[in-house]
């Protein structure tokens, strides 16, 4: 366990996520998700967590493991075509993780998702959080459109609104 990481999480905490992602930015992110979902039959969720606290922090839970927990908790795995995608940002670590259900993951693969994550992190490194998130949503939607075009019974199975934890 890194004392530096604990300190960063205690200092950043949840207020930082609300500062970087105020309601107007969250509304634009939601609109990007809605727009993207018109081009495919998949489901995209964006979740930002300001910092870990309690047991996850003191267990030194990696962002990837936390993203898997969020994926399950948000029921993103529960889509009809196994094509739900979570874009998870752990703000204190500036770490983006994409967790995709097996239907779309089999088509894109870990390298494809990792490329999108790194591009988003590069935007975050220059303070461009909104631009980075929307670019990530656009890239994920492009992959979903390529492999899961919209169908006749295109239902919105998951909320489009971003989640701030």
């Amino acid at each position: 366990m890194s004392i530096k990481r604990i300190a960063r999480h205690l200092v950043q905490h949840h207020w930082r996520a609300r500062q970087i992602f105020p309601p107007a930015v969250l509304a634009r992110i939601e609109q990007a998700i809605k727009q993207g979902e018109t081009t495919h039959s998949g489901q995209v969720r964006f979740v930002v967590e300001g910092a870990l606290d309690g047991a996850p922090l003191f267990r030194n839970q990696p962002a990837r493991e936390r993203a898997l927990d969020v994926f399950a908790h948000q029921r993103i795995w529960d889509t009809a075509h196994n094509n739900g995608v979570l874009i998870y940002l752990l703000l204190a670590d500036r770490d983006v993780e994409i967790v995709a259900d097996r239907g779309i993951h089999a088509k894109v693969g870990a390298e494809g998702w990792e490329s999108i994550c790194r591009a988003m992190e590069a935007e975050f490194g220059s303070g461009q959080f909104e631009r980075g998130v929307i670019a990530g949503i656009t890239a994920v939607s492009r992959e979903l459109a390529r492999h899961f075009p919209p169908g006749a019974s295109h239902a919105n199975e998951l909320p489009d609104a971003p989640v701030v934890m």
Side-chain angles (χ1 to χ4, degrees):
M1 179 178 346
S2 163
I3 297 297
K4 190 175 181 180
R5 183 175 191 233
I6 291 172
R8 189 173 59 244
H9 281 257
L10 293 175
V11 170
Q12 291 276 332
H13 219 273
H14 306 289
W15 64 268
R16 182 86 167 115
R18 300 265 181 218
Q19 181 183 39
I20 292 173
F21 295 100
V25 171
L26 293 174
R28 289 189 291 273
I29 291 170
E30 180 177 1
Q31 189 57 40
I33 292 170
K34 286 178 192 258
Q35 163 118 25
E37 287 185 356
T38 64
T39 66
H40 57 76
S41 62
Q43 298 294 304
V44 177
R45 294 293 327 254
F46 172 70
V47 175
V48 58
E49 188 163 17
L52 299 178
D53 56 15
L57 178 58
F58 292 104
R59 269 194 350 253
N60 200 28
Q61 186 177 37
R64 180 70 184 173
E65 187 179 303
R66 182 67 175 160
L68 291 168
D69 289 348
V70 171
F71 183 83
H73 185 271
Q74 294 287 322
R75 300 182 60 91
I76 299 166
W77 54 268
D78 196 20
T79 60
H81 301 290
N82 299 316
N83 58 2
V85 178
L86 167 67
I87 302 172
Y88 171 80
L89 169 59
L90 182 52
L91 195 56
D93 290 346
R94 291 204 179 178
D95 191 348
V96 178
E97 296 291 337
I98 294 178
V99 180
D101 205 346
R102 64 188 175 275
I104 185 63
H105 183 71
K107 310 265 187 209
V108 177
E111 286 182 22
W113 301 127
E114 189 65 24
S115 174
I116 295 170
C117 290
R118 296 302 75 86
M120 291 176 70
E121 289 170 354
E123 292 287 348
F124 300 160
S126 62
Q128 300 298 319
F129 290 94
E130 179 180 353
R131 187 167 68 194
V133 171
I134 291 174
I137 290 165
T138 301
V140 166
S141 290
R142 201 171 17 249
E143 291 295 337
L144 282 162
R146 187 159 51 123
H147 301 291
F148 289 93
S153 63
H154 177 59
N156 194 9
E157 300 176 70
L158 298 172
D160 296 330
V163 175
V164 179
M165 296 177 62

